[in-house]
Amino acid sequence: MTKSSAVLFILIFSLIFKLEELRAALVLVVLLIAGGLFMFTYKSTQFNIEGFALVLGASFIGGIRWTLTQMLLQKAELGLQNPIDTMFHLQPLMFLGLFPLFAVFEGLHLSTSEKIFRFQDTGLLLRVLGSLFLGGILAFGLGFSEFLLVSRTSSLTLSIAGIFKEVCTLLLAAHLLGDQISLLNWLGFALCLSGISLHIALKALHARGDGAPKPLKGLGSNPDLELLLRSSQPEDEDNEEEEYFVAQGQQ
């Protein structure tokens, strides 16, 4: 339920960094999705202040991360519009940030595991390495698609797409694992879907508005005419020089 605040933080930082314009429809979309997701995942659970602080801090940092990523991807001067270029520069830093945590929490267990470093069964080792390789490919595809989506749209759109994925996961859990969904959960599900649908409709209308032909403001607004006028300027200057020399010769 606390994780549903991530979309709010992304909206806040998008407004702070001027990546989004403050519009009533945008605020309505975010409130519908965040409130709907909160209601959809609402359960009577034991409150833990440490877990609450960790999840809220992760949502806060995630908002900063994706808004800054959008600034990197959509800033032409940096030349990082291609997701592969972005991953090439960011993934080593991400690895250096995660490796100390991995070494502290999982290093000893992994180094003493009989599945990898102390293996005795070669077939088991190959299966583990194959699983790791497949996971790496999937992680690469996920990172590529995330950066591509942010470069073409916005970090807010990425967050909303992630929420749609979470909604699908919860529905599958209810269908396959027998999780109980109350009336309040279904109401939250309806609100969340309405917010996502409204966001998609607003994006489609905005794209249609950008693709509509714009009225001409004058000859200077047409690049072909501008190019034609620029190319004719040297000829006009040559004609003026010829007329000047002819007039001087007649005198």
Side-chain angles (χ1 to χ4, degrees), residues 149-219:
L149 182 61
V150 172
S151 65
R152 295 293 187 270
T153 57
S154 65
S155 55
L156 187 61
T157 302
L158 174 68
S159 177
I160 293 175
I163 290 174
F164 181 75
K165 179 264 299 180
E166 292 181 1
V167 169
C168 294
T169 302
L170 293 171
L171 287 177
L172 287 175
H175 179 70
L176 299 177
L177 303 180
D179 292 353
Q180 297 297 323
I181 298 181
S182 64
L183 180 60
L184 181 64
N185 299 143
W186 282 117
L187 181 59
F189 172 71
L191 287 177
C192 194
L193 281 188
S194 62
I196 294 174
S197 302
L198 180 58
H199 177 73
I200 294 174
L202 291 175
K203 281 290 183 181
L205 291 176
H206 181 70
R208 183 180 299 177
D210 291 342
K214 299 180 180 179
L216 295 177
K217 297 180 180 179
L219 294 178

Side-chain angles (χ1 to χ4, degrees), residues 8-223:
L8 296 175
F9 286 116
I10 289 180
L11 174 62
I12 292 172
F13 286 111
S14 297
L15 295 175
I16 292 175
F17 294 121
K18 297 181 179 180
L19 298 175
E20 298 281 352
E21 296 180 0
L22 182 58
R23 304 188 304 273
L26 187 63
V27 175
L28 178 61
V29 166
V30 172
L31 291 179
L32 283 175
I33 293 176
L37 186 62
F38 181 86
M39 295 169 60
F40 188 48
T41 57
Y42 181 81
K43 293 180 181 179
S44 298
T45 58
Q46 183 179 1
F47 181 77
N48 185 284
I49 185 63
E50 182 180 357
F52 174 77
L54 287 174
V55 176
L56 191 63
S59 299
F60 179 83
I61 295 174
I64 299 177
R65 174 199 176 192
W66 285 115
T67 48
L68 292 179
T69 301
Q70 181 181 349
M71 294 177 64
L72 287 176
L73 288 169
Q74 297 182 357
K75 198 168 185 178
E77 294 83 0
L78 299 177
L80 295 177
Q81 290 85 357
N82 193 321
I84 299 296
D85 292 335
T86 307
M87 296 177 69
F88 177 79
H89 288 87
L90 292 184
Q91 293 292 355
L93 298 177
M94 295 170 65
F95 171 79
L96 293 177
L98 290 175
F99 185 79
L101 298 175
F102 157 75
V104 171
F105 292 103
E106 300 181 3
L108 181 62
H109 174 72
L110 183 64
S111 61
T112 58
S113 174
E114 295 183 355
K115 294 183 178 180
I116 298 183
F117 291 103
R118 298 178 59 192
F119 73 95
Q120 297 177 355
D121 186 359
T122 306
L124 178 61
L125 175 64
L126 293 178
R127 286 195 297 272
V128 171
L129 293 179
S131 301
L132 292 175
F133 182 73
L134 179 60
I137 294 177
L138 294 176
F140 176 82
L142 176 63
F144 178 83
S145 60
E146 286 177 340
F147 288 131
L148 181 63
L149 182 61
V150 172
S151 65
R152 295 293 187 270
T153 57
S154 65
S155 55
L156 187 61
T157 302
L158 174 68
S159 177
I160 293 175
I163 290 174
F164 181 75
K165 179 264 299 180
E166 292 181 1
V167 169
C168 294
T169 302
L170 293 171
L171 287 177
L172 287 175
H175 179 70
L176 299 177
L177 303 180
D179 292 353
Q180 297 297 323
I181 298 181
S182 64
L183 180 60
L184 181 64
N185 299 143
W186 282 117
L187 181 59
F189 172 71
L191 287 177
C192 194
L193 281 188
S194 62
I196 294 174
S197 302
L198 180 58
H199 177 73
I200 294 174
L202 291 175
K203 281 290 183 181
L205 291 176
H206 181 70
R208 183 180 299 177
D210 291 342
K214 299 180 180 179
L216 295 177
K217 297 180 180 179
L219 294 178
S221 62
N222 193 325

